[in-house]
Amino acid sequence: TFNGNTYTISGIYNDTLPSITFCDSIIITDLTILESSFSSSTKTACDSIVWNGATYTSSGSYSSIIQNTIGCDSTVFLDLTITCSTSSSETRTECGNYTWNGLTLTQSGVYDSVFVNSEGCDSTATLNLTINQPDSSYTNITECDEYEWYGTTYTATGIYPYVDTTTEGCDSIVTLYLTITNS
């Protein structure tokens, strides 16, 4: 705006300024109007995004005033979708081994697996695993005529396995090496 006139287009403008002595003055203005600009973008990010110096953690429409390349204030708009990573935790107690995400695990421990969830974000699954080992033992016995072992009576020399369950719920194999001598 100059001398009561508002200009929005670049050009050469003449204005007459009257004076008290009736000698008018002419002012020629060579005017260049610099345009502000605006832009918009659509983005999707996992968990958060830094945009124009600010961190955003939720979906929404945001705007920011920045200076464009010709020095004018300009507005930029962001249509933001925030997707979330996920995490899960599982506690298992198994006997001997456990297969998890394609791995056969034989030791107790905490195991992590990173994968891409349905939202396209990195996510972590944690397994708290306790492995109880199966038990095995053997007994050598020599008896006359017969021997009763875990409710079964044996009358012949041989090797006899018996499967039991440990207090942790795992198989326990006890093997009897039996020698029978007849009276």
Side-chain angles (χ1 to χ4, degrees):
T1 300
F2 178 71
N3 197 26
N5 296 316
T6 300
Y7 301 98
T8 59
I9 301 174
S10 298
I12 298 175
Y13 297 97
N14 296 321
D15 284 311
T16 304
L17 298 176
S19 70
I20 299 175
T21 59
F22 301 105
C23 294
D24 292 341
S25 297
I26 297 177
I27 296 178
I28 300 171
T29 304
D30 187 356
L31 179 63
T32 302
I33 298 289
L34 301 174
E35 295 290 329
S36 61
S37 56
F38 75 94
S39 64
S40 64
S41 62
T42 301
K43 293 187 184 271
T44 300
C46 292
D47 299 321
S48 68
I49 188 172
V50 176
W51 183 68
N52 290 333
T55 301
Y56 297 91
T57 58
S58 57
S59 299
S61 296
Y62 302 97
S63 65
S64 181
I65 304 292
I66 62 170
Q67 199 172 65
N68 67 12
T69 57
I70 56 175
C72 295
D73 285 347
S74 297
T75 305
V76 290
F77 298 95
L78 174 64
D79 185 18
L80 179 62
T81 301
I82 293 291
T83 57
C84 296
S85 60
T86 54
S87 63
S88 63
S89 181
E90 174 183 10
T91 299
R92 302 269 321 185
T93 300
E94 296 292 331
C95 294
N97 64 56
Y98 180 65
T99 301
W100 185 64
N101 291 335
L103 298 172
T104 299
L105 306 170
T106 59
Q107 299 294 319
S108 296
V110 178
Y111 298 91
D112 290 322
S113 181
V114 178
F115 59 95
V116 176
N117 69 11
S118 62
E119 299 287 329
C121 296
D122 285 345
S123 295
T124 303
T126 300
L127 173 65
N128 298 298
L129 180 63
T130 301
I131 294 290
N132 293 320
Q133 296 302 326
D135 230 356
S136 65
S137 63
Y138 68 92
T139 301
N140 285 317
I141 300 287
T142 301
E143 284 290 325
C144 293
D145 297 323
E146 65 182 33
Y147 180 70
E148 185 178 326
W149 189 60
Y150 288 107
T152 301
T153 301
Y154 297 96
T155 58
T157 296
I159 300 170
Y160 301 99
Y162 179 78
V163 178
D164 199 3
T165 303
T166 66
T167 57
E168 291 87 18
C170 295
D171 285 347
S172 174
I173 300 172
V174 180
T175 304
L176 171 64
Y177 293 90
L178 179 62
T179 303
I180 294 290
T181 56
N182 293 319
S183 52

